[in-house]
Amino acid sequence: MKNKFKYILFIALVALHFNCKKSFLDKGLLGELEETNFMQSESDAVLATNAIYNELRDWRYFGGFPILDIMSDEARKGSNPTDAVQILPFENFTYTSSDEPIRGWYSTLYIAIKRANIVIENAPDIEMDDALKERLIGEAKFLRALTYFYLVRGYGGVPIVTETSPERIVPRSAASEVYDLIETDLLDAIPNLPERSDYPAADLGRVTRGAAKGLLTKVYLFQNEFSNAVNIGMEVINSGEYSLEPDYEQVFSKSGEFGTGSLFEVGGKPEGFAEGGLQYGNTQGVRDSPNRGWGFNRPSWTFLESFEDGDPRRDGSVIFLGETIDGITIGGDSATPDTTRDGSGNILEIECYNQKVWVPGTGPIESWDSNVRVLRFADVLLMVAEANNELGNTNDALLYLNQIRERARGINASVLPDITETGKDALRKIILNERRAELGLELHRFFDLVRTGFAEEFLGPLGFQNNKHELLPIPQSEIDLSEGALTQNPGW
């Protein structure tokens, strides 16, 4: 059964284009491999590793519509009122363990883990260049760690599966055990991964040593291990491999793909999924006029109002109706109200769109060419600032916080003045707000509010309840399949 499973999975994988850099995606379809040849050669190992990257281009990997932003105070369902009504419960925290997005995200993440396990388990036995072998295993361990990091933050303690043929029923592990696996995978991967500058241009998009260190910084921060977060984050900062691009909007442009401020991003091409497209941008693209996508995950009114006066990142993050971008005037969706209000007349949203997924073009297929910026250098700077503040190193906290603000204001010295606050509690909230302005609509906000204890303050008016909504429910279908071995999260 083990070999049969591998053969079926591998044939499915090789029918697709792999990896996240266009030079890889432009390759022709690869021929099928016989069962007896599975993971026998160096090219097989590369192909199987590329298949892990490919799973990251499944639109459900980053939460589908995406639900993570919609559950925060940065975005709302979007699209027109009658489309995908199953997403509405994620605006007001009325979703249940049987809702499809809950199951879809969970299962897609485990598919990525399965693909990573294939490489980690089988690559060591292949006769091939040792350095390449260790690099591919390092890439697989990073991608497994990244995927488990989404799982543990989204669902808490989950089943740990590190084999290609696990037991039929695997019970939940404690969240601390999942974090231990994530840390082990990243620490194992770091010495075997190249620096960003070691890759040729055609390989940009593959996992680097800096990406693994950046992710480990975030993993430490989520566990309140602030000293470790500072130490590993400073290795990224001092590596000389990364810098902030001068123009904030350029970060999310086509010319900014895999730029100097990118630690890890997943890319596509302007074609369907089987040809290398990434539906993440298409899902959020401007709807109707021009027809660039489905129009989900629209910026909320509170997000628009959260920016400081004159902050250029507001216009760099949001497309407004009537705006002209790349020579195209945004007319929007005729079936969408220009302004949506609650029962008291308060504005909930105006029709606008996520500019961070915009790519030039005239039709919806070009939106499949939008890259997902998973981890940015700006995030590392803000994490190191936050960790230093928690440790009482106020000067260092302000140093890295103000680097972010300096880049954001550009040549306009009249906006975004340097922060001088030294009180730990006040600075903590300032850094949280800066993360919102810098990293808005990039799938960070919900997790940031939960880990810092501010979720009820900001999300309570939307329906968030402490001791319940910090975690999603385990999908009911998974509990049923486990014959009760999987237990449900508290409050569900």
Side-chain angles (χ1 to χ4, degrees):
M1 284 298 293
K2 180 178 180 181
N3 286 336
K4 182 178 179 181
F5 160 74
K6 289 181 178 179
Y7 175 64
I8 293 172
L9 176 61
F10 203 73
I11 295 304
L13 300 184
V14 298
L16 302 171
H17 294 275
F18 300 114
N19 214 345
C20 53
K21 180 67 177 169
K22 291 178 179 56
S23 56
F24 290 96
L25 296 172
D26 289 338
K27 292 181 179 179
L29 291 175
L30 300 168
E32 293 184 352
L33 298 181
E34 297 295 332
E35 178 179 1
T36 55
N37 293 330
F38 178 78
M39 287 287 286
Q40 297 295 314
S41 69
E42 181 176 296
S43 61
D44 294 348
V46 172
L47 182 63
T49 305
N50 292 347
I52 316 169
Y53 289 94
N54 186 68
E55 187 58 29
L56 272 61
R57 291 189 292 106
D58 186 317
W59 74 299
R60 295 170 299 179
Y61 185 91
F62 294 106
F65 287 92
I67 59 174
L68 287 175
D69 279 342
I70 294 170
M71 288 192 302
S72 78
D73 54 353
E74 290 183 349
R76 294 182 44 88
K77 176 185 83 73
S79 191
N80 64 54
T82 61
D83 197 5
V85 294
Q86 71 271 22
I87 307 304
L88 285 171
F90 293 91
E91 284 187 350
N92 54 24
F93 294 92
T94 58
Y95 49 81
T96 72
S97 61
S98 298
D99 284 338
E100 169 55 28
I102 301 287
R103 186 206 64 80
W105 192 37
Y106 186 94
S107 63
T108 301
L109 293 175
Y110 270 106
I111 291 172
I113 288 169
K114 181 191 299 182
R115 295 186 179 188
N117 288 341
I118 289 173
V119 175
I120 296 168
E121 184 174 293
N122 290 280
D125 297 329
I126 298 176
E127 291 188 8
M128 58 182 290
D129 178 80
D130 287 338
L132 177 59
K133 177 190 294 188
E134 293 304 316
R135 192 200 86 191
L136 294 177
I137 295 172
E139 290 179 53
K141 287 189 173 182
F142 170 92
L143 294 170
R144 185 169 72 178
L146 174 68
T147 306
Y148 267 118
F149 192 40
Y150 281 121
L151 278 166
V152 74
R153 288 179 296 168
Y155 300 91
V158 292
I160 292 178
V161 181
T162 57
E163 301 175 343
T164 56
S165 298
E167 297 293 327
R168 189 178 70 85
I169 296 176
V170 181
R172 296 182 69 173
S173 295
S176 60
E177 295 174 301
V178 180
Y179 273 110
D180 286 345
L181 173 64
I182 294 169
E183 290 181 21
T184 298
D185 273 352
L186 292 173
L187 290 169
D188 285 349
I190 285 170
N192 297 313
L193 290 170
E195 294 284 10
R196 183 182 187 275
S197 58
D198 294 332
Y199 275 123
D203 277 329
L204 291 179
R206 286 193 177 277
V207 178
T208 64
R209 185 174 302 167
K213 289 181 177 180
L215 181 58
L216 186 56
T217 303
K218 189 175 285 285
V219 169
Y220 285 142
L221 190 68
F222 268 74
Q223 299 175 89
N224 295 329
E225 297 180 18
F226 301 119
S227 292
N228 285 338
V230 168
N231 291 337
I232 196 73
M234 288 303 302
E235 290 187 22
V236 177
I237 293 171
N238 292 331
S239 69
E241 295 284 329
Y242 306 96
S243 62
L244 296 174
E245 293 91 341
D247 183 357
Y248 181 78
E249 286 196 36
Q250 183 191 1
V251 174
F252 309 98
S253 67
K254 293 304 297 177
S255 63
E257 290 181 349
F258 306 107
T260 60
S262 175
L263 273 70
F264 184 65
E265 65 184 85
V266 181
K269 56 187 296 190
E271 300 184 42
F273 176 68
E275 292 77 32
L278 202 168
Q279 200 172 4
Y280 178 81
N282 174 260
T283 304
Q284 303 176 61
V286 177
R287 185 163 181 144
D288 194 11
S289 177
N291 180 19
R292 303 305 311 282
W294 299 358
F296 290 101
N297 197 44
R298 289 199 186 127
S300 68
W301 182 252
T302 56
F303 178 60
L304 299 179
E305 292 288 282
S306 69
F307 288 92
E308 295 176 51
D309 289 344
D311 190 338
R313 291 173 295 190
R314 183 177 186 267
D315 286 340
S317 302
V318 181
I319 299 176
F320 296 93
L321 296 187
E323 179 178 349
T324 299
I325 181 170
D326 289 322
I328 300 173
T329 300
I330 307 302
D333 182 17
S334 58
T336 296
D338 289 343
T339 302
T340 302
R341 300 176 183 271
D342 63 17
S344 301
N346 300 309
I347 298 177
L348 297 174
E349 63 177 298
I350 61 174
E351 186 183 351
C352 56
Y353 298 87
N354 181 1
Q355 185 162 319
K356 293 181 176 181
V357 301
W358 172 271
V359 293
T362 58
I365 196 64
E366 289 95 339
S367 294
W368 293 68
D369 197 19
S370 175
N371 288 11
V372 182
R373 276 68 171 179
V374 179
L375 187 59
R376 299 201 281 120
F377 185 55
D379 191 1
V380 175
L381 291 173
L382 288 170
M383 288 191 290
V384 171
E386 181 178 338
N388 270 308
N389 180 58
E390 297 301 330
L391 293 170
N393 303 327
T394 307
N395 290 337
D396 287 336
L398 292 175
L399 172 66
Y400 299 112
L401 170 62
N402 285 324
Q403 283 186 28
I404 298 296
R405 294 174 65 83
E406 180 182 8
R407 188 274 295 275
R409 66 175 171 261
I411 61 173
N412 187 358
S414 65
V415 301
L416 301 177
D418 280 357
I419 299 297
T420 58
E421 174 65 53
T422 58
K424 179 184 290 187
D425 291 343
L427 188 54
R428 180 186 300 120
K429 205 156 190 176
I430 289 171
I431 293 172
L432 181 65
N433 291 338
E434 195 68 30
R435 290 185 61 82
R436 187 181 194 186
E438 176 70 27
L439 305 171
L441 304 174
E442 297 179 50
L443 308 178
H444 297 288
R445 177 68 171 176
F446 176 78
F447 290 143
D448 280 345
L449 290 175
V450 169
R451 71 175 175 81
T452 56
F454 288 113
E456 187 174 42
E457 177 180 339
F458 288 92
L459 304 181
L462 303 178
F464 180 95
Q465 299 175 32
N466 274 342
N467 303 316
K468 177 177 182 179
H469 291 123
E470 291 87 352
L471 298 173
L472 294 168
I474 299 295
Q476 186 59 46
S477 58
E478 296 296 324
I479 293 176
D480 295 340
L481 287 170
S482 76
E483 300 175 5
L486 292 181
T487 57
Q488 188 52 274
N489 281 327
W492 295 100

